[in-house]
Amino acid sequence: MYRVLMATALLVLAATASGQNVSREEIRGLDEQIQDVKQDVISLTSELNRLEEKLLFPSNTQAAFFISLAASDEFSLESVELKLNNQVVAHHLYTFREIEALQKGGVQRIYTANVQTGAHPLEVSYFGKSKSGKEYRGTASYSVDKAVGPKFVEIKIAANQSAIDFQDW
Amino acid sequence: MRFRLRNGIAGAALAALCAVPAAAKTSVDPTALHTEELRDLFFGEALFNAHQDKYLDAIAGLDTELKQFRLLDDPELDPFSLHFGQAEFAVGDLELSYRMHREAGRAMEAVINGDVPQPIKNEAAYRLAKIHYHKQQPANALHALELIEGRVPERVRADEQFLRARVYMQLGRFEEAVALLKELKGDTKAESLAGFVEYNLGIALLKLGEIEKGVVELDSLGRNAGRSEATAALQDKTNLLLGYQLMEAQEYQRARTYFDRVQLSGPFSNQALLGAGWVEANAGRYDRALVPWRLLSQRQNTNAAVQEAMLAVPYAYGKLDVHSTAAVNYGQALELFGSQVDVLTDSINSIREGKLLEALRRKEASQVKNWVVALRKLPDAPETHYLLDLMASNDFQEFLRNYQDLNDLLERNQTWLQSLDAFEEIIAVRRGYYEPILPGLDVEFRQIDARIKMRLEQRQRLAARIDNLLVNRHPQLLAKSEETESRLILERIREILAHNPSLNSGETEARVARLEGVLNFRLSREFDDRLTEAYRHLQALDGVIATLQETYQHYVRRRQAATHSYQGYRDQIATLRAGLNRAQNRIEQLMARQGRMLEQLAIDELDQRRAQLESYQIKARFALADSYDRANELQEQRTDVRKVAEYQQQVQALKQSEPDHETPSGENPPAQEAPGSEEVVGDE
């Protein structure tokens, strides 16, 4: 009995089960094929993204809006609302991972529109909280001057100062 | 045999425990995905995806940016140029995270062989080494590390040394690993590796045969590794390792100390309780072994350590001669093993029916932490508690991620295929709208175009005339229509008078000359003002023409946009659709193969556990029978003792009832029962 129990301890501790019935070569071969198909799909995705943009948002009418956060991990963005030409075009509630990605310097494309050349009023509102739980709200307006080429507008939320900065790209 | 087995346990424990820290630190290098100042929005968008582990989107985004950047005539003028090098590294890192090791390796090799400064080559060599290490190819990893000339950048120096040490360990070059790790241990720049360095140093010393030094190193880590969840787990792991190491060396007292240090609620607590019991059992203290084992036997009964404890508890009772309690516990163990064998059989059948893969394909699988454990709650799903150890293995994790990645690709492609259908519909609608109206518009456009051209020519003529007036003063050219009319009348009068001199007189001549003089005087006097006004009008005309030209350009652009909105897509969409369909076929095949491997791994694991439980059942049945026999034997012995005692009491009573044979009390007391025997078997 003692030997039986001790032998089972071996099984408990050496819990590094691996595919005994699957050879290493087979695993490696399959893994490489999966990598190949991933590469193919990435190429296809790039091309499809370009096609989609060309079809749905041609450069002469395209206007894209991006959200970024000023460098601070004290502030947590909860939601953002965009009004373009006095109409709500985007309302986004942020997940934890999205907030984290913004805090690490990521930029979120929140909305892509098709607009004619000329000036378009943009109104941005946000709601967020500090680490201590203090709530912050802010609203700012901007005139988007759309020319012939595509228009990219960065909306930088500066958190604690309750400020929103706009930058044309 | 006993100690050979124990050596095996400790060896296996060492191997199992070494594996985890060795596989750690293979995630994305944050430096490649961080920028102090963003100079390109699309690079920022790729970062946003990358930081959410949306690797495919991030790689596709960066790939597109890099391709476009390489096609530029003056790339240095593009803001992306500031992120170019970083983006190349980031793609490599993201490919690594997306388990595209070959592509990542190629990217790094391209950097190493490229015309770039040595520090960048060194960093690329380090990253390439990391890829090989992750793919369990230590010799290749070392080769890559040897490509480093001079020093690697400061921010990755500690990581590079740590990687090198682990590569040495995998290659069995423990002396070099120890030297590197000792150096790294005192390095303030290796704070992020705190705990892991000490752990690996301890292991390397043990492997090198310097047992005491290794134990001292690990002992210090086992006392205080840190406060975070990861370091607390590392601390437990270290103590567990030390416990088994010392148990192997028969230092039971010291081993117990280390097992006791492991947190009771941590992931290693079951193994620690089991080990603590074995330490006491090995030392012959079965009563003390029962304490951790009994505690363990009340935990999650699918755990292998708990199931072992279910047998170990009655084993210890047997050793303590409490056979009836042992028998009861063996009975409970048998009951549990029987029910769990059924659970395992059902689970194997469930996996064979494809329920495991079905559950793994659900969205929750990649979104909810511990989803694989939670999926057991789904109807007909396998009991995943039995798969926990398997799931922690590298193979299973790789298979699972590959399977989920493939499923994600399949779903993405499916969505794209639907989108392509929608695109074609959009194109058809646009064609249906524009094609009938464009010919008519073109006719109008040509008319407008001709008119614009005419106006432009007129404007050019006027401008030329005005310019000429600046040089050659001709006031009559700026005459108003009535003045021109007057001038023409006067010229006509002159002609008439010339043909009919009889009509002419001094007075007429004077009057005509006076009128001509008045006209010329006015034209001459107002020439400058009129010239200025003519310029003003020309400028106004320029404005009108500019508007006309703008309208013209606008129309041309709209005309082109209208044409481009439905022309030239057919071939591209057909090619993309064919590509997607080909990819879908391959993905389905690969998913089937990967799924089979996953199922096979899970079934093998469950089969193994079932065989183990069946073996336990057999042993428990024998032990149960043995315990009953021994308990009966003991019971019979006790009955005999009791009967003898009763008989003696009766004899004594008889003797006391006979007055002739009266004996003084206390000289011959009745036999007593074995002390405490009733108390021990009181629960039987």
Side-chain angles (χ1 to χ4, degrees):
Chain A
M1 173 61 74
Y2 185 84
R3 282 189 298 174
V4 171
L5 294 175
M6 289 299 275
T8 54
L10 181 74
L11 294 169
V12 172
L13 295 164
T16 50
S18 60
Q20 299 293 324
N21 296 334
V22 184
S23 72
R24 279 282 138 205
E25 285 69 32
E26 201 182 339
I27 293 171
R28 192 175 301 144
L30 181 62
D31 189 56
E32 287 182 358
Q33 287 182 50
I34 291 172
Q35 291 187 45
D36 287 341
V37 87
K38 279 181 177 176
Q39 187 57 49
D40 289 349
V41 174
I42 286 172
S43 300
L44 281 170
T45 305
S46 291
E47 211 172 326
L48 285 159
N49 281 337
R50 284 199 297 273
L51 171 70
E52 185 181 50
E53 187 173 308
K54 198 170 150 188
L55 262 175
L56 304 184
F57 305 105
S59 61
N60 58 336
T61 56
Q62 188 188 123
F65 303 91
F66 295 82
I67 299 287
S68 67
L69 279 187
S72 165
D73 56 358
E74 292 294 312
F75 175 72
S76 170
L77 188 62
E78 300 274 322
S79 69
V80 166
E81 185 180 275
L82 249 68
K83 275 186 189 174
L84 186 67
N85 296 322
N86 301 317
Q87 284 197 328
V88 176
V89 291
H91 189 105
H92 192 83
L93 297 176
Y94 287 87
T95 64
F96 176 72
R97 301 213 71 180
E98 286 172 333
I99 296 166
E100 216 176 41
L102 285 173
Q103 285 172 340
K104 286 177 180 171
V107 177
Q108 178 208 10
R109 187 198 295 237
I110 191 169
Y111 180 61
T112 308
N114 280 311
V115 293
Q116 292 193 335
T117 51
H120 302 270
L122 172 72
E123 189 181 299
V124 179
S125 310
Y126 78 87
F127 170 67
K129 283 181 181 171
S130 71
K131 270 189 177 171
S132 61
K134 190 180 172 189
E135 293 184 356
Y136 291 96
R137 288 172 198 278
T139 302
S141 299
Y142 186 68
S143 177
V144 179
D145 292 319
K146 174 76 176 70
V148 176
K151 179 83 176 173
F152 304 118
V153 180
E154 183 188 358
I155 302 157
K156 185 177 263 187
I157 296 175
N160 294 359
Q161 289 82 38
S162 293
I164 302 173
D165 290 330
F166 296 91
Q167 189 184 345
D168 285 329
W169 287 78
Chain B
M1 184 61 180
R2 180 179 292 191
F3 291 109
R4 201 151 52 89
L5 274 169
R6 224 184 283 146
N7 292 351
I9 296 162
L14 197 67
L17 295 167
C18 286
V20 179
K25 297 292 287 180
T26 50
S27 58
V28 172
D29 184 348
T31 53
L33 296 172
H34 177 76
T35 179
E36 288 299 327
E37 191 182 358
L38 191 68
R39 305 302 288 269
D40 185 277
L41 275 180
F42 297 95
F43 184 71
E45 193 182 15
L47 293 187
F48 185 69
N49 286 324
H51 288 309
Q52 293 179 77
D53 298 346
K54 293 179 179 174
Y55 299 120
L56 193 144
D57 293 323
I59 297 169
L62 281 179
D63 257 358
T64 308
E65 285 294 295
L66 285 167
K67 272 180 199 157
Q68 287 177 350
F69 182 79
R70 289 190 187 105
L71 292 174
L72 292 175
D73 291 335
D74 297 311
E76 64 281 358
L77 299 177
D78 191 275
F80 188 72
S81 63
L82 294 159
H83 297 303
F84 180 68
Q86 192 184 11
E88 280 196 317
F89 269 129
V91 169
D93 267 351
L94 290 168
E95 283 170 342
L96 189 58
S97 298
Y98 198 42
R99 293 169 296 289
M100 294 172 65
H101 303 90
R102 278 197 309 178
E103 282 303 317
R106 275 181 208 141
M108 294 308 151
E109 272 168 9
V111 175
I112 293 168
N113 298 324
D115 183 20
V116 291
Q118 192 59 40
I120 295 177
K121 284 187 182 185
N122 286 348
E123 187 163 348
Y126 158 66
R127 285 163 194 253
L128 183 62
K130 219 163 65 163
I131 293 167
H132 287 308
Y133 179 79
H134 185 66
K135 294 302 287 178
Q136 296 168 17
Q137 296 166 347
N140 290 343
L142 188 61
H143 176 69
L145 286 169
E146 280 166 355
L147 293 174
I148 295 174
E149 289 176 20
R151 305 191 80 181
V152 292
E154 195 71 37
R155 64 193 155 77
V156 291
R157 195 167 294 158
D159 290 331
E160 185 263 332
Q161 268 197 308
F162 188 53
L163 175 69
R164 198 182 280 264
R166 285 181 294 158
V167 169
Y168 282 143
M169 281 173 75
Q170 283 204 345
L171 292 169
R173 292 162 64 172
F174 295 107
E175 272 182 53
E176 286 150 297
V178 166
L180 266 176
L181 290 167
K182 276 184 178 168
E183 194 184 325
L184 204 55
K185 194 181 158 189
D187 193 343
T188 52
K189 293 191 176 70
E191 275 175 6
S192 62
L193 301 169
F196 293 100
V197 171
E198 289 79 358
Y199 186 87
N200 280 274
L201 179 56
I203 301 290
L205 285 166
L206 291 179
K207 292 269 187 184
L208 198 60
E210 296 187 23
I211 306 293
E212 267 314 307
K213 284 186 182 173
V215 169
V216 169
E217 192 63 50
L218 292 171
D219 176 73
S220 149
L221 181 65
R223 282 175 197 277
N224 184 22
R227 288 180 182 176
S228 71
E229 202 176 320
T231 48
L234 184 64
Q235 188 173 328
D236 282 354
K237 194 186 297 178
T238 308
N239 286 319
L240 191 64
L241 169 72
L242 280 171
Y244 279 101
Q245 181 74 25
L246 291 166
M247 189 162 76
E248 185 195 358
Q250 298 181 38
E251 294 188 43
Y252 300 127
Q253 198 55 44
R254 282 178 73 194
R256 178 67 203 252
T257 313
Y258 290 112
F259 284 129
D260 286 347
R261 277 191 197 166
V262 177
Q263 296 176 86
L264 261 181
S265 56
F268 300 98
S269 57
N270 289 351
Q271 290 174 30
L273 286 169
L274 192 66
W278 281 121
V279 165
E280 298 299 349
N282 283 335
R285 297 188 291 265
Y286 293 100
D287 52 340
R288 293 178 68 175
L290 272 171
V291 178
W293 280 347
R294 281 181 66 90
L295 183 62
L296 181 58
S297 65
Q298 287 155 16
R299 294 191 167 190
Q300 174 66 43
N301 58 21
T302 52
N303 184 277
V306 175
Q307 289 171 351
E308 186 183 334
M310 295 291 288
L311 274 189
V313 167
Y315 167 74
Y317 276 125
K319 285 288 179 186
L320 289 169
D321 281 338
V322 194
H323 298 292
S324 49
T325 309
V328 170
N329 280 282
Y330 277 127
Q332 287 170 350
L334 266 173
E335 198 179 321
L336 170 76
F337 296 156
S339 66
Q340 291 303 309
V341 165
D342 292 342
V343 168
L344 283 163
T345 305
D346 291 345
S347 296
I348 290 170
N349 291 337
S350 154
I351 292 171
R352 289 203 170 114
E353 285 165 12
K355 302 284 183 192
L356 177 69
L357 295 182
E358 198 180 299
L360 293 177
R361 281 196 298 270
R362 291 168 70 125
K363 280 288 159 208
E364 299 95 311
S366 55
Q367 288 165 355
V368 178
K369 202 179 175 186
N370 293 333
W371 161 249
V372 184
V373 181
L375 69 86
R376 60 193 285 273
K377 292 174 186 162
L378 295 175
D380 302 327
E383 171 52 83
T384 47
H385 274 131
Y386 279 104
L387 299 173
L388 290 180
D389 290 334
L390 173 69
M391 284 167 189
S393 71
N394 274 340
D395 278 347
F396 190 89
Q397 282 298 317
E398 282 290 304
F399 291 179
L400 177 62
R401 285 182 196 161
N402 275 343
Y403 188 75
Q404 287 174 341
D405 285 348
L406 287 170
N407 190 48
D408 177 53
L409 295 182
L410 192 78
E411 287 177 0
R412 275 171 177 270
N413 287 352
Q414 193 53 46
T415 310
W416 275 121
L417 282 168
Q418 287 169 2
S419 294
L420 286 182
D421 291 343
F423 293 165
E424 281 180 331
E425 202 176 323
I426 290 169
I427 289 165
V429 169
R430 287 176 181 173
R431 188 188 297 279
Y433 174 73
Y434 285 119
E435 266 191 351
I437 59 170
L438 278 181
L441 284 174
D442 282 345
V443 170
E444 282 180 37
F445 169 67
R446 277 194 291 276
Q447 287 171 353
I448 294 169
D449 188 32
R451 234 177 285 163
I452 290 172
K453 277 181 184 161
M454 191 179 74
R455 294 290 173 238
L456 277 173
E457 281 170 14
Q458 286 174 343
R459 187 261 171 212
Q460 276 165 359
R461 272 203 306 276
L462 281 171
R465 196 181 289 176
I466 290 170
D467 286 344
N468 192 35
L469 284 173
L470 281 172
V471 184
N472 304 311
R473 190 181 169 93
H474 290 294
Q476 65 274 16
L477 290 179
L478 294 179
K480 292 176 186 171
S481 52
E482 66 270 25
E483 288 167 344
T484 305
E485 199 181 338
S486 301
R487 182 171 57 79
L488 289 172
I489 290 169
L490 286 170
E491 279 175 5
R492 181 74 187 140
I493 292 169
R494 285 260 180 227
E495 280 173 17
I496 293 167
L497 288 175
H499 282 292
N500 300 297
S502 59
L503 296 175
N504 203 354
S505 67
E507 188 189 345
T508 309
E509 178 62 34
R511 284 182 70 185
V512 170
R514 184 170 152 270
L515 287 171
E516 282 176 345
V518 168
L519 191 63
N520 287 337
F521 176 75
R522 188 191 294 167
L523 289 174
S524 194
R525 190 191 63 192
E526 293 180 5
F527 176 77
D528 291 339
D529 289 343
R530 289 186 181 193
L531 192 62
T532 306
E533 198 176 350
Y535 262 113
R536 211 174 285 134
H537 288 160
L538 192 68
Q539 279 172 347
L541 186 64
D542 282 349
V544 173
I545 287 173
T547 309
L548 207 58
Q549 280 179 327
E550 177 56 36
T551 312
Y552 176 84
Q553 291 300 333
H554 185 66
Y555 178 81
V556 170
R557 280 196 301 272
R558 293 295 288 266
R559 174 72 175 78
Q560 279 175 347
T563 315
H564 290 168
S565 70
Y566 66 90
Q567 274 184 356
Y569 292 105
R570 190 180 298 164
D571 291 348
Q572 193 185 8
I573 288 178
T575 310
L576 284 168
R577 181 177 281 122
L580 284 171
N581 283 328
R582 267 198 308 276
Q584 289 296 74
N585 287 337
R586 281 171 64 201
I587 291 168
E588 278 169 4
Q589 284 171 11
L590 293 170
M591 266 185 88
R593 283 175 62 190
Q594 190 69 87
R596 271 200 300 278
M597 282 188 187
L598 270 169
E599 286 179 336
Q600 196 55 51
L601 275 184
I603 288 172
D604 286 351
E605 175 74 8
L606 295 180
D607 237 354
Q608 195 183 335
R609 293 292 302 275
R610 186 170 60 179
Q612 191 183 331
L613 281 178
E614 283 168 349
S615 149
Y616 279 175
Q617 276 181 313
I618 294 167
K619 302 297 171 190
R621 278 191 197 112
F622 277 113
L624 176 65
D626 187 50
S627 294
Y628 271 128
D629 288 348
R630 285 172 188 269
N632 283 336
E633 219 172 87
L634 199 64
Q635 193 68 31
E636 280 167 11
Q637 279 176 8
R638 284 174 185 149
T639 312
D640 289 349
V641 168
R642 197 161 44 240
K643 279 178 180 170
V644 168
E646 281 169 10
Y647 177 72
Q648 283 176 344
Q649 276 179 347
Q650 284 170 3
V651 169
Q652 192 70 23
L654 277 172
K655 280 180 181 175
Q656 282 174 351
S657 65
E658 290 176 13
D660 296 338
H661 298 94
E662 196 173 323
T663 309
S665 65
E667 283 185 6
N668 192 11
Q672 289 181 344
E673 291 183 6
S677 61
E678 285 298 326
E679 288 159 24
V680 173
V681 294
D683 58 337
E684 293 169 25

